[in-house]
Every structure is written in C-alpha cells, then in structure tokens.
Amino acid sequence: AQASSSLLLTVDPDEVIRDATILDTIYMCALIHCNPPRRSVIVNILSKKNYCHLDSCSLMIASQGNSFTEALLWLFRSHGDHKRVLSALSESNCCGDNAWTQKQYYNWVAEYLSLLWHHESLVHLNHTPHDQNQQNLHHFGGNDTDSMAVTHALLIHQVLPVLKTVFEYDAKTGLNVLIRSTSTSGKDRGCMGAVTFGTKSEKSEGVALSEVLEFLRNIENPGKNGNINCSIGLPVTSGKALEVAYLSWVVGVGMGSGVVVAPAETHDLYIHTLLGVIDSHTTNTNTNTTTNTNTSEMEGIYREALQSFLQISCEYDPDTTRDLIPEHYLHEHALILSRLGEYEKVCVYRW
C-alpha cells in the first residue's frame, strides 16, 4: 500500500494528459478509418470530455465532408473553442444528405447559443461546489475553464450574427435562447444571462440591454418554422414585436417574488415601446382598410398587455406614463389613477 501511494505521488499530471491525448487521438483515427466510419460513435465520444488532439482530429474529421460536421462542431465545443464552432455554423455547411435536417441543425444551434448566452452559471465556477463544477463543465462540453471564457466581443460579433439566423428560421426558438426560466437556486438575476442593465460604456463581459433590443429591432423577417413552445404570449411578427416580447419577459423577471430585477426605467421603457407598437397598428388601421381587421386585433392584444402591466407593476413612473397614454384610453388612465391612490377620481372618470 505504501509503495502504491509513493508511486501515485510521483506521477506527472502533464504526462498523464499527454498519454490520454495520444490514446484518444489514435482511437479517433481508427474510428474514422473504419469502413464505413463510425460516425455515431465519434459524435458520442466528442460530445463528452475527451483528450483528442484538436488540430490533428479536426483535419481528419473535416476531410469526411459535411456528414461529419456535427462531429467537428462537438470537437471544437468539447475543447471550448467557441470561435471555431461559431465560424462553422451555417445551414449550408451543416445540412444535407447524411447530415442534419434543417430542424435538427437549428435545435442544436439554439441549445448551444443558449449555453453561451447564459454562461454566468457555467463559467463563474468559484461559487459552486467542485462536483457541481465538473457537472457544469461536462454539460457545457468544456475540458477547462480558461478556454471557456465568453467575452463581450464573442457575444456581439459572433453569437448575435448566428442567433439572427435562428430568429429568421423561427422567432420563438430565437427567443428561447435569450430567455430562461427562474434558476433552480432561486436567484432570478441569473436568468438574464449575458444581459446587463448598464450602458454600453459600463458593461464588462456582458451585453447591454440596449444592444439586445437594437439587435431584435433590426430583425426584419422573423420565421415561423419551429414547433418549440415559448413562455412569451405576445406576437413575434416583426423586429419591433420581438423587442416588445423580450422586454415583457425582462420586466417580468422577479415580479411576484418580492425581487424586482429590472430597474424602474426598464419598466418605463417597456410601456413606451408598447405604446409605440400600439400607435403603429392604429396608424395602419386608419390608412389601410384591407388590413383593418388584423391591425385592430393586434392593437387589442398589445393594449391588453399594457393594461395588465399597469395593473401589476409598481415600478413605472405614473406621472410620466399618464402624459404618454392617449386621453381616450380610459381603462389605462383608471389603472394609473388607482396606482396613485386617487380612487375617487377613478369613480368619477369620464367613462
């Protein structure tokens, strides 16, 4: 027993990793050169922790064509090489004969982007027990924490452009990347993922909320191809509608739990954005008789959202909001008067 203990103490960890790298790389080479290549086995190995030599294996796998693109993506992902994963993500590279279907591709991309976007609970490991750290790393596909750094530059210049293609495929799938249900730890703030409420100049590694809203606003043709449920019930028919839908989730995080995550100005921003969308539908109703029915229905949906928010939020500025809301929106004015405690005025309001 003493001899075994002393032997263990003399083992060089770097040498163990070198040996593991040689073994995993040789095994990967053998699987690729089988006839036919063992694609499913390769994907299974690379989707877990492995020590394959990145450059050598990537050349071997890439030589097999786009039917092995999933394996190549998992190789990069398992080594935390996010830039190479994101650079390789395109429908033309990843879909086709003996490869992913369009739906399989976008589901994989959405799941991966969601993990990047909500990286706080996966990268900031010093607040979690060691065993949980390893579980998070495994789920993320990383072998070490250093290569997993998710920076503002990566999110803005590589994650968002890929995410735009997901929105163009299916808007609800795209929204599901950005939103996340309340974390199991009960800390609602973690649900925001990469988003910060500061300005662009104040951010560190996160993405300012204003940058996300600008990104959503500029998506011209949100798609409707998926069947994935989304917790947001508002329409997602345009970039402006996506902006409203995402803001409705942002201001809802923490509400009802005694913790208001979004600052008061974000509640005011949501109301202002909602009113802008309502106004655009009102204008369409007045100028285009062929779309009156649809625009009137959309106006009703957004007004219901506004009324519901005025009733449950205690953070918006009632005086500013009163000035913004049209005089003939009687229900909305009554809700604001109630918020101000002016119940007598509600009773004698111009109904």
mmCIF file of all heavy atoms in Angstrom, residues 28-58:
data_model
loop_
_atom_site.group_PDB
_atom_site.id
_atom_site.type_symbol
_atom_site.label_atom_id
_atom_site.label_comp_id
_atom_site.label_asym_id
_atom_site.label_seq_id
_atom_site.Cartn_x
_atom_site.Cartn_y
_atom_site.Cartn_z
ATOM 1 N N MET A 28 -9.628 7.853 -32.179
ATOM 2 C CA MET A 28 -10.431 8.641 -33.108
ATOM 3 C C MET A 28 -10.010 8.353 -34.551
ATOM 4 O O MET A 28 -10.863 8.199 -35.450
ATOM 5 C CB MET A 28 -10.272 10.130 -32.794
ATOM 6 C CG MET A 28 -11.181 11.048 -33.588
ATOM 7 S SD MET A 28 -12.944 10.692 -33.348
ATOM 8 C CE MET A 28 -13.068 10.744 -31.547
ATOM 9 N N CYS A 29 -8.715 8.243 -34.782
ATOM 10 C CA CYS A 29 -8.202 7.947 -36.121
ATOM 11 C C CYS A 29 -8.706 6.586 -36.600
ATOM 12 O O CYS A 29 -9.125 6.426 -37.757
ATOM 13 C CB CYS A 29 -6.682 7.979 -36.101
ATOM 14 S SG CYS A 29 -5.913 7.670 -37.703
ATOM 15 N N ALA A 30 -8.713 5.599 -35.705
ATOM 16 C CA ALA A 30 -9.178 4.259 -36.060
ATOM 17 C C ALA A 30 -10.665 4.263 -36.411
ATOM 18 O O ALA A 30 -11.086 3.617 -37.385
ATOM 19 C CB ALA A 30 -8.909 3.297 -34.909
ATOM 20 N N LEU A 31 -11.456 5.008 -35.651
ATOM 21 C CA LEU A 31 -12.897 5.078 -35.908
ATOM 22 C C LEU A 31 -13.191 5.741 -37.251
ATOM 23 O O LEU A 31 -14.103 5.335 -37.978
ATOM 24 C CB LEU A 31 -13.596 5.844 -34.778
ATOM 25 C CG LEU A 31 -13.658 5.150 -33.412
ATOM 26 C CD1 LEU A 31 -14.151 6.127 -32.346
ATOM 27 C CD2 LEU A 31 -14.556 3.920 -33.462
ATOM 28 N N ILE A 32 -12.419 6.772 -37.576
ATOM 29 C CA ILE A 32 -12.630 7.481 -38.842
ATOM 30 C C ILE A 32 -12.272 6.596 -40.041
ATOM 31 O O ILE A 32 -12.924 6.640 -41.087
ATOM 32 C CB ILE A 32 -11.805 8.786 -38.863
ATOM 33 C CG1 ILE A 32 -12.409 9.800 -37.880
ATOM 34 C CG2 ILE A 32 -11.761 9.396 -40.265
ATOM 35 C CD1 ILE A 32 -11.583 11.047 -37.692
ATOM 36 N N HIS A 33 -11.234 5.758 -39.878
ATOM 37 C CA HIS A 33 -10.772 4.938 -40.991
ATOM 38 C C HIS A 33 -11.446 3.571 -41.060
ATOM 39 O O HIS A 33 -11.055 2.735 -41.895
ATOM 40 C CB HIS A 33 -9.248 4.771 -40.918
ATOM 41 C CG HIS A 33 -8.513 6.020 -41.288
ATOM 42 N ND1 HIS A 33 -8.130 6.962 -40.344
ATOM 43 C CD2 HIS A 33 -8.124 6.513 -42.487
ATOM 44 C CE1 HIS A 33 -7.520 7.968 -40.954
ATOM 45 N NE2 HIS A 33 -7.498 7.722 -42.254
ATOM 46 N N CYS A 34 -12.463 3.364 -40.199
ATOM 47 C CA CYS A 34 -13.280 2.161 -40.365
ATOM 48 C C CYS A 34 -14.073 2.271 -41.665
ATOM 49 O O CYS A 34 -14.269 3.362 -42.205
ATOM 50 C CB CYS A 34 -14.246 2.012 -39.188
ATOM 51 S SG CYS A 34 -13.464 1.474 -37.652
ATOM 52 N N ASN A 35 -14.550 1.166 -42.167
ATOM 53 C CA ASN A 35 -15.354 1.175 -43.393
ATOM 54 C C ASN A 35 -16.713 0.522 -43.112
ATOM 55 O O ASN A 35 -16.805 -0.704 -43.019
ATOM 56 C CB ASN A 35 -14.631 0.426 -44.508
ATOM 57 C CG ASN A 35 -15.311 0.601 -45.859
ATOM 58 O OD1 ASN A 35 -16.130 1.506 -46.024
ATOM 59 N ND2 ASN A 35 -14.983 -0.263 -46.801
ATOM 60 N N PRO A 36 -17.805 1.348 -42.969
ATOM 61 C CA PRO A 36 -17.783 2.819 -43.051
ATOM 62 C C PRO A 36 -17.315 3.436 -41.740
ATOM 63 O O PRO A 36 -17.299 2.758 -40.708
ATOM 64 C CB PRO A 36 -19.261 3.143 -43.316
ATOM 65 C CG PRO A 36 -19.995 2.059 -42.594
ATOM 66 C CD PRO A 36 -19.173 0.814 -42.768
ATOM 67 N N PRO A 37 -16.955 4.727 -41.738
ATOM 68 C CA PRO A 37 -16.547 5.391 -40.498
ATOM 69 C C PRO A 37 -17.650 5.336 -39.446
ATOM 70 O O PRO A 37 -18.835 5.417 -39.776
ATOM 71 C CB PRO A 37 -16.284 6.838 -40.943
ATOM 72 C CG PRO A 37 -16.009 6.741 -42.405
ATOM 73 C CD PRO A 37 -16.872 5.618 -42.902
ATOM 74 N N ARG A 38 -17.255 5.198 -38.198
ATOM 75 C CA ARG A 38 -18.226 5.054 -37.099
ATOM 76 C C ARG A 38 -18.680 6.439 -36.614
ATOM 77 O O ARG A 38 -18.268 6.920 -35.569
ATOM 78 C CB ARG A 38 -17.613 4.257 -35.956
ATOM 79 C CG ARG A 38 -17.157 2.860 -36.348
ATOM 80 C CD ARG A 38 -18.339 1.997 -36.786
ATOM 81 N NE ARG A 38 -17.951 0.600 -36.957
ATOM 82 C CZ ARG A 38 -17.651 0.026 -38.104
ATOM 83 N NH1 ARG A 38 -17.667 0.757 -39.221
ATOM 84 N NH2 ARG A 38 -17.308 -1.235 -38.169
ATOM 85 N N ARG A 39 -19.528 7.059 -37.419
ATOM 86 C CA ARG A 39 -19.914 8.457 -37.158
ATOM 87 C C ARG A 39 -20.619 8.620 -35.818
ATOM 88 O O ARG A 39 -20.299 9.529 -35.042
ATOM 89 C CB ARG A 39 -20.809 8.978 -38.287
ATOM 90 C CG ARG A 39 -21.131 10.460 -38.161
ATOM 91 C CD ARG A 39 -21.938 10.951 -39.334
ATOM 92 N NE ARG A 39 -23.244 10.296 -39.408
ATOM 93 C CZ ARG A 39 -24.175 10.583 -40.299
ATOM 94 N NH1 ARG A 39 -23.924 11.501 -41.222
ATOM 95 N NH2 ARG A 39 -25.321 9.957 -40.299
ATOM 96 N N SER A 40 -21.618 7.784 -35.518
ATOM 97 C CA SER A 40 -22.384 7.938 -34.281
ATOM 98 C C SER A 40 -21.508 7.742 -33.050
ATOM 99 O O SER A 40 -21.676 8.427 -32.028
ATOM 100 C CB SER A 40 -23.558 6.958 -34.256
ATOM 101 O OG SER A 40 -23.096 5.620 -34.332
ATOM 102 N N VAL A 41 -20.555 6.798 -33.145
ATOM 103 C CA VAL A 41 -19.629 6.574 -32.022
ATOM 104 C C VAL A 41 -18.733 7.787 -31.835
ATOM 105 O O VAL A 41 -18.468 8.228 -30.705
ATOM 106 C CB VAL A 41 -18.769 5.311 -32.278
ATOM 107 C CG1 VAL A 41 -17.773 5.102 -31.123
ATOM 108 C CG2 VAL A 41 -19.657 4.091 -32.432
ATOM 109 N N ILE A 42 -18.264 8.355 -32.939
ATOM 110 C CA ILE A 42 -17.391 9.535 -32.872
ATOM 111 C C ILE A 42 -18.118 10.717 -32.231
ATOM 112 O O ILE A 42 -17.571 11.399 -31.361
ATOM 113 C CB ILE A 42 -16.903 9.899 -34.291
ATOM 114 C CG1 ILE A 42 -15.954 8.818 -34.809
ATOM 115 C CG2 ILE A 42 -16.216 11.263 -34.302
ATOM 116 C CD1 ILE A 42 -15.584 8.969 -36.266
ATOM 117 N N VAL A 43 -19.367 10.954 -32.665
ATOM 118 C CA VAL A 43 -20.151 12.057 -32.088
ATOM 119 C C VAL A 43 -20.351 11.836 -30.595
ATOM 120 O O VAL A 43 -20.228 12.769 -29.787
ATOM 121 C CB VAL A 43 -21.509 12.184 -32.810
ATOM 122 C CG1 VAL A 43 -22.427 13.143 -32.051
ATOM 123 C CG2 VAL A 43 -21.314 12.664 -34.237
ATOM 124 N N ASN A 44 -20.642 10.614 -30.197
ATOM 125 C CA ASN A 44 -20.863 10.300 -28.787
ATOM 126 C C ASN A 44 -19.618 10.577 -27.955
ATOM 127 O O ASN A 44 -19.694 11.120 -26.851
ATOM 128 C CB ASN A 44 -21.280 8.836 -28.641
ATOM 129 C CG ASN A 44 -21.609 8.476 -27.205
ATOM 130 O OD1 ASN A 44 -22.432 9.110 -26.559
ATOM 131 N ND2 ASN A 44 -20.939 7.457 -26.694
ATOM 132 N N ILE A 45 -18.439 10.228 -28.487
ATOM 133 C CA ILE A 45 -17.182 10.455 -27.759
ATOM 134 C C ILE A 45 -16.885 11.942 -27.646
ATOM 135 O O ILE A 45 -16.531 12.452 -26.573
ATOM 136 C CB ILE A 45 -16.019 9.736 -28.469
ATOM 137 C CG1 ILE A 45 -16.176 8.215 -28.341
ATOM 138 C CG2 ILE A 45 -14.674 10.175 -27.903
ATOM 139 C CD1 ILE A 45 -15.211 7.436 -29.201
ATOM 140 N N LEU A 46 -17.039 12.652 -28.758
ATOM 141 C CA LEU A 46 -16.665 14.066 -28.783
ATOM 142 C C LEU A 46 -17.653 14.957 -28.030
ATOM 143 O O LEU A 46 -17.311 16.081 -27.654
ATOM 144 C CB LEU A 46 -16.536 14.542 -30.224
ATOM 145 C CG LEU A 46 -15.411 13.890 -31.039
ATOM 146 C CD1 LEU A 46 -15.421 14.398 -32.467
ATOM 147 C CD2 LEU A 46 -14.054 14.147 -30.388
ATOM 148 N N SER A 47 -18.872 14.485 -27.814
ATOM 149 C CA SER A 47 -19.853 15.281 -27.080
ATOM 150 C C SER A 47 -19.637 15.194 -25.572
ATOM 151 O O SER A 47 -20.365 15.811 -24.801
ATOM 152 C CB SER A 47 -21.272 14.838 -27.429
ATOM 153 O OG SER A 47 -21.486 13.494 -27.038
ATOM 154 N N LYS A 48 -18.632 14.426 -25.162
ATOM 155 C CA LYS A 48 -18.277 14.313 -23.749
ATOM 156 C C LYS A 48 -16.835 14.772 -23.568
ATOM 157 O O LYS A 48 -16.144 15.110 -24.532
ATOM 158 C CB LYS A 48 -18.448 12.864 -23.288
ATOM 159 C CG LYS A 48 -19.877 12.347 -23.422
ATOM 160 C CD LYS A 48 -19.976 10.876 -23.113
ATOM 161 C CE LYS A 48 -21.398 10.368 -23.329
ATOM 162 N NZ LYS A 48 -21.509 8.904 -23.124
ATOM 163 N N LYS A 49 -16.373 14.732 -22.350
ATOM 164 C CA LYS A 49 -14.995 15.139 -22.088
ATOM 165 C C LYS A 49 -14.042 14.185 -22.796
ATOM 166 O O LYS A 49 -14.171 12.973 -22.688
ATOM 167 C CB LYS A 49 -14.722 15.149 -20.587
ATOM 168 C CG LYS A 49 -13.346 15.696 -20.231
ATOM 169 C CD LYS A 49 -13.215 15.885 -18.739
ATOM 170 C CE LYS A 49 -11.856 16.497 -18.392
ATOM 171 N NZ LYS A 49 -11.721 16.775 -16.951
ATOM 172 N N ASN A 50 -13.098 14.740 -23.538
ATOM 173 C CA ASN A 50 -12.132 13.927 -24.269
ATOM 174 C C ASN A 50 -10.801 14.661 -24.346
ATOM 175 O O ASN A 50 -10.714 15.852 -24.064
ATOM 176 C CB ASN A 50 -12.662 13.603 -25.669
ATOM 177 C CG ASN A 50 -12.775 14.838 -26.539
ATOM 178 O OD1 ASN A 50 -11.809 15.302 -27.143
ATOM 179 N ND2 ASN A 50 -13.985 15.418 -26.587
ATOM 180 N N TYR A 51 -9.764 13.912 -24.757
ATOM 181 C CA TYR A 51 -8.426 14.492 -24.859
ATOM 182 C C TYR A 51 -7.873 14.390 -26.284
ATOM 183 O O TYR A 51 -6.667 14.365 -26.491
ATOM 184 C CB TYR A 51 -7.472 13.792 -23.870
ATOM 185 C CG TYR A 51 -7.808 14.104 -22.432
ATOM 186 C CD1 TYR A 51 -8.658 13.272 -21.707
ATOM 187 C CD2 TYR A 51 -7.308 15.242 -21.813
ATOM 188 C CE1 TYR A 51 -8.980 13.559 -20.389
ATOM 189 C CE2 TYR A 51 -7.633 15.540 -20.495
ATOM 190 C CZ TYR A 51 -8.468 14.699 -19.792
ATOM 191 O OH TYR A 51 -8.791 14.993 -18.496
ATOM 192 N N CYS A 52 -8.772 14.323 -27.266
ATOM 193 C CA CYS A 52 -8.333 14.259 -28.658
ATOM 194 C C CYS A 52 -7.492 15.485 -29.011
ATOM 195 O O CYS A 52 -7.813 16.598 -28.590
ATOM 196 C CB CYS A 52 -9.543 14.181 -29.584
ATOM 197 S SG CYS A 52 -10.458 12.626 -29.455
ATOM 198 N N HIS A 53 -6.437 15.269 -29.783
ATOM 199 C CA HIS A 53 -5.606 16.390 -30.228
ATOM 200 C C HIS A 53 -6.428 17.221 -31.216
ATOM 201 O O HIS A 53 -6.851 16.723 -32.270
ATOM 202 C CB HIS A 53 -4.328 15.879 -30.883
ATOM 203 C CG HIS A 53 -3.352 16.957 -31.206
ATOM 204 N ND1 HIS A 53 -3.282 17.559 -32.445
ATOM 205 C CD2 HIS A 53 -2.409 17.569 -30.434
ATOM 206 C CE1 HIS A 53 -2.336 18.485 -32.439
ATOM 207 N NE2 HIS A 53 -1.774 18.507 -31.238
ATOM 208 N N LEU A 54 -6.632 18.484 -30.880
ATOM 209 C CA LEU A 54 -7.592 19.305 -31.600
ATOM 210 C C LEU A 54 -7.245 19.459 -33.085
ATOM 211 O O LEU A 54 -8.069 19.182 -33.965
ATOM 212 C CB LEU A 54 -7.700 20.681 -30.934
ATOM 213 C CG LEU A 54 -8.686 21.669 -31.557
ATOM 214 C CD1 LEU A 54 -10.099 21.102 -31.535
ATOM 215 C CD2 LEU A 54 -8.647 23.005 -30.824
ATOM 216 N N ASP A 55 -6.031 19.878 -33.388
ATOM 217 C CA ASP A 55 -5.673 20.163 -34.782
ATOM 218 C C ASP A 55 -5.650 18.898 -35.632
ATOM 219 O O ASP A 55 -6.149 18.877 -36.767
ATOM 220 C CB ASP A 55 -4.320 20.874 -34.842
ATOM 221 C CG ASP A 55 -4.389 22.278 -34.248
ATOM 222 O OD1 ASP A 55 -5.502 22.857 -34.261
ATOM 223 O OD2 ASP A 55 -3.356 22.786 -33.783
ATOM 224 N N SER A 56 -5.077 17.832 -35.094
ATOM 225 C CA SER A 56 -4.988 16.585 -35.855
ATOM 226 C C SER A 56 -6.368 16.010 -36.138
ATOM 227 O O SER A 56 -6.688 15.638 -37.279
ATOM 228 C CB SER A 56 -4.145 15.554 -35.096
ATOM 229 O OG SER A 56 -2.850 16.032 -34.851
ATOM 230 N N CYS A 57 -7.195 15.945 -35.121
ATOM 231 C CA CYS A 57 -8.516 15.340 -35.278
ATOM 232 C C CYS A 57 -9.442 16.207 -36.121
ATOM 233 O O CYS A 57 -10.276 15.685 -36.867
ATOM 234 C CB CYS A 57 -9.136 15.072 -33.911
ATOM 235 S SG CYS A 57 -8.324 13.736 -33.001
ATOM 236 N N SER A 58 -9.291 17.523 -36.012
ATOM 237 C CA SER A 58 -10.163 18.388 -36.809
ATOM 238 C C SER A 58 -9.891 18.209 -38.301
ATOM 239 O O SER A 58 -10.819 18.219 -39.115
ATOM 240 C CB SER A 58 -9.980 19.855 -36.405
ATOM 241 O OG SER A 58 -8.652 20.299 -36.666
#
